[in-house]
């Protein structure tokens, strides 16, 4: 008799934890297959440190095959799920198709960038959900400061050194905090010709920074940001993005070449194709993480609406604490459905939050106890080392070197602007010429990250990634003027390439950046 086939879709924090637990529970008792677009697990909480040049990309990338024994890895992105036929169709990295049959299915596909119906955002902004986006942002910010240092026009210099981050949740706050330190270090070594300083702006319609956290920690983060020189503007967001800057909701126009979109996330649209009941785009499951009427199908992480038994009538939020714990409970219940162990309902206890603000600064309340100053920084980094499933020594070594040596501010040019569009179902994959998109997406406003009417009322549904439980990593329409194969001749807001393949042309109204 053949062994049961278990297929896990997605290797974010929820999917990875499911695979790791099943690898132990079902050894030699079932065939466990993990379907994921990349061969690594991304430790998303440390991604801002990659963008700031503190950590190398491989430090936050944990090998799936190297850390998941007895699990078969299939590289590909799920296109559709046939619940009646019990199969998953996927597209591999080279455009080929394949099908995985299953006896038990775990959907842990995660989330995508949430887009709001704001003109120009899809074309001129970049998200911060995967390694390609972090690498692109590091190159882009470095390039802007280097070009500003040689700019003859003070207005052009100011625009290149102005960086706008939208979304004051965990990700946006950390990006702004680390980004300000990174550019300040560049300018100290190579001052700008006009005596200007980098300008970082953090915008959000929420009344305070980190609205999900305790108000005392929010005040701590706000104070650290302002002391660093970050312009924190609450109750303000972007009304329109243009090639030359952004128009704010308070009427001010800010000249900038950089717009970083950290507004929040929405469930991956793959769950919509299942035809099962949804709750705000998330697949409805019971407290045992099973899809009602489909006992062989489980869902966890950002893609699942899991009842919060501690708060009846609500669902667990899309945060790291839940994503990581969902994975363990899902694995235990899958094993129980195959006769191994007993199934259990999902319950949780809030362990608090940690937010790294760079240097020795952090905001943390482990187990609900607010910590001040350097102690919070030590606890935050200690937690990350303990939570990472690999690369701990390498991460600690990079932190040590960063504390005694200056950072290397160089452009590698590995990721181009057209390869990391905001409206994508797979931010973990950089687009390359000739590779088809597994799931085509619609134009901004109706694509995978498009917001519903309810979403526009609150922009910052925080992405998973920075709590005292590991976050979940996750994942397309391409902007009309961002075609693979071109070498960008100019950078717009956020660095969108403006020309199709062929000879580089300059638009007379926008100065070139020398991105090639």
């Amino acid at each position: 008799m053949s062994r049961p086939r278990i297929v896990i879709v997605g290797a974010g924090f929820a999917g990875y934890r499911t695979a790791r637990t099943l690898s132990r529970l079902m050894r030699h008792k079932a065939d466990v297959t993990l379907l994921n677009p990349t061969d690594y697990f991304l430790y998303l909480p440390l991604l801002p440190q990659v963008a700031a040049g503190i950590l190398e990309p491989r430090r936050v990338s944990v090998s799936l095959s190297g850390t998941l024994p007895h699990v078969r890895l299939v590289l590909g992105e799920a296109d559709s799920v046939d619940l009646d036929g019990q199969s998953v169709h996927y597209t591999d990295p080279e455009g080929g198709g394949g099908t995985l049959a299953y006896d038990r299915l775990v959907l842990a596909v995660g989330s995508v960038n949430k887009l709001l119906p704001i003109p120009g955002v899809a074309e001129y902004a970049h998200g911060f959900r995967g390694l390609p986006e972090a690498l692109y942002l590091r190159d882009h910010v470095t390039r802007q400061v280097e070009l500003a240092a040689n700019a003859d026009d003070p207005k052009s210099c100011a625009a290149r050194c102005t960086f706008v981050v939208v979304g004051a949740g965990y990700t946006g706050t950390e990006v702004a905090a680390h980004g300000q330190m990174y550019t300040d270090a560049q300018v100290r070594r190579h001052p700008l010709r006009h005596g200007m300083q980098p300008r970082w702006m953090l915008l959000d319609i929420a009344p305070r920074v980190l609205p999900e956290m305790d108000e005392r920690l929010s005040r701590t983060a706000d104070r650290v940001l302002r002391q660093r020189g970050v312009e924190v503007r609450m109750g303000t967001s972007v009304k329109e993005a243009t090639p030359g800057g952004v128009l704010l909701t308070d009427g001010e126009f800010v000249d900038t070449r950089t717009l970083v979109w950290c507004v929040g996330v929405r469930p991956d649209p793959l769950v919509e194709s299942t035809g099962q009941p949804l709750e705000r785009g998330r697949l409805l499951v019971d407290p045992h993480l099973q899809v009602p009427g489909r006992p062989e199908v489980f869902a966890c992480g950002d893609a699942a609406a899991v009842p919060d038994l501690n708060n009846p009538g609500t669902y667990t939020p899309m945060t790291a604490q839940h994503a990581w714990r969902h994975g363990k409970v899902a694995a235990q219940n899958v094993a129980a459905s195959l006769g191994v162990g007993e199934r259990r309902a999902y319950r949780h206890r809030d362990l608090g939050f940690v937010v790294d603000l760079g240097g020795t600064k952090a905001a943390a309340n482990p187990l609900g106890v607010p910590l001040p100053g350097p102690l919070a920084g030590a606890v935050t980094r200690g937690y990350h080392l303990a939570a990472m499933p690999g690369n701990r020594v390498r991460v600690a070594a990079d932190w040590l070197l960063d504390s005694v040596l200056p950072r290397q501010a160089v452009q590698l040019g590995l990721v181009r602007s057209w390869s990391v569009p905001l409206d994508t179902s797979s931010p973990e994959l950089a687009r390359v010429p000739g590779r088809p998109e597994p799931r085509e997406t619609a134009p901004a406003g109706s694509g995978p990250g498009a917001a519903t009417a309810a979403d526009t009322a609150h922009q910052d549904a925080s992405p998973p990634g920075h709590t005292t439980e590991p976050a979940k990593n996750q994942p397309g329409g391409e902007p009309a003027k961002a075609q693979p194969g071109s070498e960008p001749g100019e950078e717009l807001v956020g660095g969108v390439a403006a020309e199709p393949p062929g000879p580089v042309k300059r638009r007379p109204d926008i100065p070139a950046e020398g991105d090639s």
Side-chain angles (χ1 to χ4, degrees):
M1 178 176 169
S2 61
R3 295 191 295 187
R5 299 161 298 178
I6 304 172
V7 173
I8 305 166
V9 182
F13 275 84
Y16 181 86
R17 185 82 184 274
T18 301
R20 191 171 74 171
T21 306
L22 282 173
S23 172
R24 174 176 53 85
L25 295 177
M26 302 302 295
R27 183 178 181 181
H28 306 312
K29 299 175 183 177
D31 295 325
V32 182
T33 300
L34 178 61
L35 175 65
N36 196 58
T38 65
D39 64 351
Y40 62 83
F41 156 78
L42 176 65
Y43 190 75
L44 190 61
L46 294 181
L47 201 58
Q49 297 192 26
V50 174
I54 299 173
L55 297 176
E56 289 303 309
R58 286 187 297 175
R59 305 297 186 256
V60 299
S61 310
V62 179
S63 169
L64 295 177
S65 57
T67 58
L68 296 176
H70 318 299
V71 175
R72 173 194 173 205
L73 173 63
V74 175
L75 289 179
E77 184 172 9
D79 298 323
S80 61
V81 179
D82 182 359
L83 296 181
D84 294 327
Q86 294 193 191
S87 64
V88 178
H89 183 269
Y90 67 93
T91 301
D92 66 30
E94 296 184 345
T99 301
L100 296 173
Y102 65 83
D103 297 301
R104 297 292 185 273
L105 173 66
V106 181
L107 291 173
V109 290
S111 52
V112 298
N113 291 313
K114 180 172 72 176
L115 297 182
L116 300 177
I118 299 175
V121 165
E123 293 80 10
Y124 304 130
H126 283 293
F128 200 79
R129 302 284 296 158
L131 272 179
E133 293 170 322
L135 292 175
Y136 172 76
L137 182 62
R138 184 167 70 179
D139 271 8
H140 175 75
V141 170
T142 303
R143 179 170 57 253
Q144 295 307 309
V145 176
E146 291 174 346
L147 292 174
N150 295 307
D152 294 325
D153 179 17
K155 184 177 180 180
S156 174
C157 178
R160 293 188 186 282
C161 285
T162 299
F163 309 94
V164 179
V165 181
V166 185
Y170 303 108
T171 302
T173 299
E174 291 192 349
V175 167
H178 283 281
Q180 181 77 55
M181 294 185 67
Y182 181 62
T183 54
D184 283 351
Q186 280 186 272
V187 172
R188 280 197 299 269
R189 289 194 296 269
H190 303 286
L192 300 178
R193 295 177 63 180
H194 304 285
M196 296 181 180
Q197 293 296 318
R199 178 191 184 193
W200 282 80
M201 301 178 65
L202 180 62
L203 314 176
D204 201 303
I205 62 173
R208 58 186 174 90
V209 173
L210 299 171
E212 307 82 4
M213 295 186 68
D214 179 86
E215 191 169 348
R216 288 173 294 181
L217 298 183
S218 177
R219 288 197 299 267
T220 297
D222 186 276
R223 182 176 64 254
V224 170
L225 291 172
R226 294 181 189 275
Q227 288 174 347
R228 295 241 178 97
V230 177
E231 294 184 32
V232 180
R233 297 197 185 184
M234 296 295 96
T236 305
S237 189
V238 173
K239 184 176 182 180
E240 181 181 2
T242 71
V246 292
L247 177 64
L248 305 184
T249 53
D250 61 8
E252 179 184 355
F253 186 85
V254 178
D255 293 319
T256 181
R257 303 290 170 82
T258 308
L259 179 59
V260 186
W261 192 254
C262 301
V263 164
V265 295
R266 285 178 54 78
D268 190 292
L270 177 69
V271 297
E272 298 176 5
S273 68
T274 62
Q276 299 301 298
L278 304 177
E279 169 63 29
R280 293 181 63 85
R282 302 162 73 187
L283 193 62
L284 278 171
V285 296
D286 63 22
H288 300 93
L289 307 183
Q290 285 181 294
V291 176
R294 299 283 182 176
E296 75 283 359
V297 181
F298 298 76
C300 54
D302 287 0
V306 182
D308 188 344
L309 299 183
N310 293 333
N311 297 285
T314 64
Y315 299 93
T316 58
M318 297 164 68
T319 65
Q321 290 188 29
H322 299 290
W324 187 249
R325 296 174 180 181
H326 285 176
K328 180 178 180 180
V329 173
Q332 292 173 332
N333 290 339
V334 168
S337 72
L338 296 172
V340 178
E342 297 181 357
R343 72 174 191 161
R344 50 175 289 201
Y346 176 73
R347 288 184 179 272
H348 72 94
R349 181 170 64 93
D350 187 5
L351 296 182
F353 302 90
V354 296
V355 180
D356 186 358
L357 300 175
T360 60
K361 303 294 186 180
N365 65 340
L367 301 177
V369 180
L371 298 179
L375 179 59
V379 168
T380 297
R381 291 202 168 183
Y383 164 73
H384 286 315
L385 284 181
M388 290 191 70
N391 297 346
R392 295 187 183 96
V393 174
R394 291 183 172 92
V395 169
D398 273 6
W399 283 342
L400 177 62
L401 291 175
D402 181 69
S403 66
V404 297
L405 297 176
R407 296 181 198 174
Q408 296 176 295
V410 296
Q411 306 175 50
L412 299 180
L414 300 177
V415 181
R416 298 299 188 181
S417 57
W418 50 259
S419 64
V420 283
L422 180 63
D423 192 9
T424 176
S425 61
S426 299
E428 69 271 22
L429 293 176
R431 291 187 177 178
V432 298
R435 184 173 67 194
E437 289 302 309
R439 278 183 275 149
E440 293 298 328
T441 59
S446 58
T452 62
D455 292 323
T456 61
H458 181 63
Q459 289 185 11
D460 190 28
S462 292
H466 305 281
T467 71
T468 53
E469 286 289 344
K472 196 175 171 313
N473 93 316
Q474 41 331 102
E478 186 150 359
K481 295 185 179 180
Q483 300 296 329
S486 64
E487 288 297 316
E490 56 188 297
E491 294 286 341
L492 309 182
V493 178
V496 176
E499 299 294 339
V504 175
K505 300 177 181 179
R506 306 289 186 197
R507 282 175 48 186
D509 58 329
I510 305 176
E513 277 190 10
D515 186 29
S516 59

